[in-house]
Every structure is written in C-alpha cells, then in structure tokens.
Amino acid sequence: MALPVLRGCHRVSSTLKCTRLFLNESPVLNRGGRPRLPPLPAQRPFSSAAGGQQNQNQKVVVFGIPNPFIWFRTRMYYFLIRAYFDKEFRIEEFSEGAKQAFSHVSRLLSKCQLDALEGLVAKDLIGKLEEKLNLMPSNYKKALSVEPEEIMYTTPGDVGIYYDDDGRKFVSILMRFWYLTSARLPEDTMEGTRVFQVALGEEGEAETKRLLSAHYEFQREFTEGVAPAWTITKIEHSKLLD
C-alpha cells in the first residue's frame, strides 16, 4: 500500500489555497456531524425468521486494516479541525451522519428526485448529475439506491483544509462507502466487483448481491457568520456514476 502524499495545492476555478491529505483508499450536517434529514425508515435485516421474528442467519463482513501512518496523519487533521474550526468535531459522529446522508441522497438519485437535493448537494453538481441520470438505464439507477443496513463498510478518505484569497475557510472530507445491491447489472461492465450469496430466512433461497463502492465528498465553510452546514460537493458510484 502506497504512503499518502501531503502537499499544498491551488484550485484554479476558485483560487482556493489548500493543504490536502491524500489517502489510498466525496444533506447537510450540523455541528456535531449529524445530518439534518427527515426520519429514515426502520432498518431491514437481510433475513427474517417465521412468525415475524427477524433473524440474520448469514451476513457479509467487510473490514479493513488501516495504515498506521495514514491513521496518525488523519488524526492530526481532525485535531486541527477541532483546534481551529470546530471544537465539537468528532470523526465518529461525522461518519455516522455521513452514512445517513449517503443513504438518503442515494435514494433520491435513484428516483431522479433532483429537486429534493437542493440544500443537500452543491448546485453545480446537481446539474451534472441530471445529465448523467438522463442517460442511465433503470437497473443502474436501482443500484444507486442504498438502504442504511446495506452499507457494509465506511471510512474517511481525503481530508482538506482550504483558505481563499478573501480569507474564507473551508474543510472537506471525502467519505468512502461499500454497500450491497441486488440490482441486476451486466457482468461485463461490473468487472472487479464482488458477488455474495445472502440467505433470506431460515430455509429461504439465497439472494445474489453485489458489493459496490461510492465516494461522497462533504464540504463546509467555517468563515465567521456563515451557517454551519455541510454540503455534498462530489458524488461517485463506481461503475455506475463516475
């Protein structure tokens, strides 16, 4: 596994000066990292026993072993965020809020409910997503939708701290998600993805699910007087929405 690269950079379009931590591995969130979203539906396990009792006989476990150098450097960035931007910031709370936001936004994308993304997703990104969704077949759109219990693994990726020429301050965190989908997808375009058999019920037939990944970037402006809101500025679903 290659080591991360720490470097300074400039964004041409907005003349943002930044220092970004590049790792190996893109709703609105409030100060504690929790999304300001409508209540999410109750979670459904992958298997149910007779008589209405839920029993998860088999489950897929996805885990990763963090690189100790990456772990230390990301913690340094989290410390800087708490020290200079938000003393209440906790990556655990942020990650949990990001998971809920990811599930909520992915379901809106799957239904092409782009108007509902306003205030949650950057305006310029919504226009780009609309163009891509208009060309996407229905089975691909179904694969975009992610229920909370279908998320198998979540980890932070890139962390960035930015200052522009006007003195505005920004923080961005790229979150990476791995999730299961039962959508029927062509094998030739899904090369490199993992396929699992998930049991439904004690004696039910196994359902084929594919493990996909998605990247959502969350950005927040920390300039004094600006509302404390995280906005999604990047959305990628591997093999589906790049």
Side-chain angles (χ1 to χ4, degrees):
M1 181 180 292
L3 292 176
V5 179
L6 184 63
R7 67 186 185 188
C9 62
H10 294 269
R11 285 191 176 180
V12 177
S13 60
S14 57
T15 65
L16 290 178
K17 301 175 182 177
C18 66
T19 301
R20 170 165 289 204
L21 178 64
F22 290 89
L23 307 180
N24 293 328
E25 295 285 294
S26 174
V28 180
L29 305 179
N30 60 22
R31 287 180 57 86
R34 296 292 182 177
R36 296 173 181 166
L37 299 174
L40 297 175
Q43 296 187 4
R44 301 192 310 271
F46 287 129
S47 57
S48 300
Q53 294 181 347
Q54 295 177 332
N55 179 31
Q56 196 164 341
N57 296 322
Q58 296 184 15
K59 62 181 179 181
V60 178
V61 178
V62 181
F63 66 94
I65 301 176
N67 182 303
F69 297 102
I70 294 176
W71 183 91
F72 175 79
R73 292 188 180 186
T74 54
R75 265 53 189 179
M76 178 185 69
Y77 269 75
Y78 302 152
F79 169 78
L80 292 175
I81 293 173
R82 288 194 298 270
Y84 295 100
F85 299 97
D86 184 0
K87 64 181 180 180
E88 298 179 4
F89 177 83
R90 297 292 182 273
I91 188 59
E92 296 80 11
E93 292 185 3
F94 178 88
S95 297
E96 184 61 30
K99 284 175 60 177
Q100 296 181 41
F102 164 58
S103 176
H104 180 72
V105 170
S106 71
R107 284 176 285 167
L108 293 177
L109 288 174
S110 179
K111 299 175 184 177
C112 295
Q113 296 178 352
L114 299 179
D115 291 342
L117 295 177
E118 294 186 9
L120 308 176
V121 178
K123 292 183 179 180
D124 59 335
L125 180 57
I126 293 178
K128 297 176 183 178
L129 292 171
E130 183 176 12
E131 295 177 2
K132 295 179 180 180
L133 290 173
N134 288 336
L135 302 175
M136 185 178 292
S138 59
N139 57 330
Y140 277 48
K141 292 178 182 177
K142 180 181 178 181
L144 294 176
S145 180
V146 185
E147 297 292 339
E149 68 272 14
E150 293 175 328
I151 302 173
M152 296 290 102
Y153 186 66
T154 303
T155 185
D158 300 351
V159 179
I161 296 177
Y162 309 87
Y163 295 83
D164 69 3
D165 294 334
D166 297 324
R168 296 188 301 168
K169 301 176 290 186
F170 301 86
V171 170
S172 68
I173 301 177
L174 181 71
M175 296 297 298
R176 300 179 182 273
F177 305 94
W178 282 263
Y179 66 96
L180 292 176
T181 179
S182 58
R184 295 182 177 275
L185 301 170
E187 296 292 338
D188 54 344
T189 59
M190 293 292 111
E191 184 179 356
T193 61
R194 300 293 182 87
V195 178
F196 297 90
Q197 296 289 328
V198 181
L200 300 176
E202 293 183 348
E203 299 180 356
E205 297 182 357
E207 179 182 359
T208 300
K209 288 183 176 286
R210 192 181 298 274
L211 184 67
L212 301 179
S213 64
H215 304 159
Y216 280 48
E217 184 178 66
F218 297 82
Q219 185 182 88
R220 175 181 163 185
E221 182 176 354
F222 280 89
T223 307
E224 186 176 356
V226 176
W230 290 88
T231 304
I232 297 175
T233 55
K234 178 179 180 180
I235 292 178
E236 292 181 354
H237 283 250
S238 181
K239 311 290 185 178
L240 300 172
L241 193 62
D242 296 320

